[in-house]
Amino acid sequence: MLTFKKNISEILAHTIADQFGSAILTAGDICSMLEYPPDGTMGDLALPCFKLSKVLKTAPPKIAQSLYGAFAGHENLCSAEVQGGYLNIRISPAYLIQSVLAKIENDGEMYGSSREGEGKTVVLDYASPNIAKPFHIGHLGTTVIGHSLKLLHQFAGYKCVGINHLGDWGTQFGKLIVAYRKWGSREKIESGEIDALVELYVKFHAEAEKDDSLNQAARDEFKKLEDGDPDNTALWKWFIDLSNREYEITFRQLGITFDSYAGESFYIDKMPEQVEKLREKNLLTVDNGASLVDLSAYNMPPCLILKSDGSTLYPTRDIAAAVYRKRTYDFDKCIYVTSAGQSLYFAQLFKVIELMGYDWYDRLIHVPYGTVSIGGEKLATRTGNVVLLKDLFAQAIDKVRGRIEEKNPGLADKDAVAEAVGVGAVVFHYLYNSRIKDINFVMEDALSFEGNTGPYAQYTYARTCSVLEKAGAVPEAEEKITAPEEAEVLKVLSRFPEKVQTALAEYEPSVITRYIIDLCTAFNRFYHNCPILSAADVSVRATRLRITRASGTVIKTALGLICLRTPEKI
């Protein structure tokens, strides 16, 4: 069953076909023209006839008037009125119950899903923290945007492969090795874990500003690592183990698991084949001993493949990774979720893969997101200008736990609920705005539970559960819509499949986040203005309980699509 927007578009398309010829405009054309009026007094949907005017060479008001007459006989579905060049449409309450409510009850938590991805595979590269660096607020974007996109694609029927492409290779390991041997100890690192590694990393950069020879020493140590030096390899593996312990705590709090943890080092033995292919294609140019691909013909800087000492770089590893993923998963799309600051890099990478002759280059998709700053300053682990996620989550969880102790001290599983709501507050806050928007991170804003927040949405879901628990079984009775608030909730519920499609098409989780607030606002208005359990009329009570149940179902599904858990009691 379709959303009411699509059903109306089909009726309008048939109307136009009857009057003007079906070859002029399709149902899809009409659907794309339909708008939601800014004011509910103007109807539930509106068809601006101005674009039709160009095709039909008729004044918009005349077109609207001619279409108006075609709605006679469709009173069970909708009514229409003409206002200037607009045809305004109102959906009947009976149709909302028969179509929307029945659809949600039939589909349950799969309401809003589709089969568009059936038989297709999507690979998603996200999170991907750099080993020996802690998760901070800057990592939240790639992690929750990436996982939300994975959940959205799964919801649409795609087979999804989530990859945590760990940054476990590169010169930073040479820096850590040098720093550890100069200023570290095994006992100190084991007790401090990743925080101790960060201290070494920060100290290295501070000392390197005074003594540039440290940078060359780091390059030398990394080259030894690439060449298989056993001592450096043992240190490298230890750093990775320490880091993964920390990362798994954060991923558990976020409810995120991956299908592959193949990091950069996984592709060490797969890079030579791709470097040789670049040579065979005559794409490599040697400049001061370094090998690069000249991209000046495409208005891009050169793409460096090998350093002068023969060591590899990010592009070398990413080319090998893309080829491996295509061979292994035969993806229809491979999505990379990274900062917008890497947009040029991915444009270069995709162009090089195209020039290498891989005909699937156009299935590689970069999904950028805005930068995060603190007090207007760029985040940087090396200077310590970061807010660690574990600290942020801990503060949010403590704040929720305090509220629970104050308002609901007898609540079972208080710690689990506090974590779900506290972590959810931070995630919801991040995903509320468009992903490309730059964020100046303010701790107080992220921890606010007032207004359009995750806790507000989670509490609304818990409210639906409470009502249904008190009601017991929903009685069977004739449906009856008696208040505008009831119809409004159903209209918002009807838009969910459309919002899912938009979020997928635009790779934009904030579409779902904002929809959740719209639904929660409509439901809470209905809850406060329309007695549910105390409704005297059995049919009214039954209809309102069904609306409550449907609202809870969709809120739970939508929150799940943006990585939030849904406690039934808060």
Side-chain angles (χ1 to χ4, degrees), residues 236-474:
W236 169 71
K237 288 181 178 178
W238 180 42
F239 295 156
I240 291 174
D241 289 342
L242 288 170
S243 302
N244 278 329
R245 288 181 215 166
E246 175 98 0
Y247 300 154
E248 283 306 312
I249 294 172
T250 301
F251 290 137
R252 183 197 61 76
Q253 287 183 306
L254 290 166
I256 292 175
T257 57
F258 295 90
D259 305 289
S260 169
Y261 288 81
E264 293 180 64
S265 64
F266 179 77
Y267 303 100
I268 293 172
D269 62 347
K270 299 166 182 61
M271 290 185 283
E273 177 191 351
Q274 302 311 316
V275 173
E276 185 57 33
K277 187 176 181 70
L278 285 162
R279 288 198 179 99
E280 289 174 0
K281 292 280 186 178
N282 295 316
L283 292 171
L284 286 184
T285 300
V286 178
D287 185 4
N288 290 326
S291 298
L292 53 86
V293 178
D294 182 3
L295 297 176
S296 58
Y298 309 98
N299 296 315
M300 287 187 281
C303 183
L304 193 58
I305 302 297
L306 296 173
K307 296 180 184 178
S308 57
D309 63 1
S311 57
T312 59
L313 296 105
Y314 287 120
T316 332
R317 301 188 279 276
D318 282 335
I319 292 168
V323 174
Y324 173 83
R325 292 168 185 175
K326 182 60 180 173
R327 291 173 178 173
T328 304
Y329 305 112
D330 192 24
F331 57 71
D332 293 272
K333 290 193 289 187
C334 183
I335 298 170
Y336 300 80
V337 183
T338 75
S339 165
Q342 296 186 44
S343 294
L344 174 59
Y345 168 77
F346 278 97
Q348 292 173 294
L349 177 68
F350 297 167
K351 177 55 69 174
V352 171
I353 291 173
E354 176 186 359
L355 294 174
M356 292 174 75
Y358 291 114
D359 59 6
W360 39 265
Y361 72 91
D362 56 350
R363 299 184 185 186
L364 304 174
I365 299 165
H366 179 224
V367 176
Y369 59 89
T371 58
V372 179
S373 58
I374 299 175
E377 295 185 11
K378 184 179 179 181
L379 301 180
T381 304
R382 68 182 62 180
T383 62
N385 187 43
V386 294
V387 173
L388 300 184
L389 271 186
K390 64 181 180 181
D391 295 338
L392 180 59
F393 286 167
Q395 289 188 48
I397 292 167
D398 285 345
K399 183 174 181 179
V400 176
R401 189 182 288 109
R403 289 198 173 193
I404 291 174
E405 292 291 353
E406 178 185 343
K407 297 185 177 182
N408 194 5
L411 178 68
D413 299 321
K414 282 186 279 190
D415 288 344
V417 173
E419 182 177 84
V421 178
V423 172
V426 176
V427 173
F428 196 96
H429 172 73
Y430 190 95
L431 291 179
Y432 188 73
N433 293 308
S434 168
R435 61 174 163 77
I436 205 63
K437 183 179 179 181
D438 291 340
I439 296 174
N440 182 33
F441 182 78
V442 179
M443 182 79 80
E444 292 75 18
D445 292 346
L447 296 180
S448 173
F449 296 168
E450 307 303 324
N452 300 334
T453 65
Y456 168 69
Q458 288 169 309
Y459 181 78
T460 302
Y461 171 72
R463 171 172 279 168
T464 68
C465 294
S466 175
V467 171
L468 294 170
E469 183 181 37
K470 292 174 182 176
V474 177

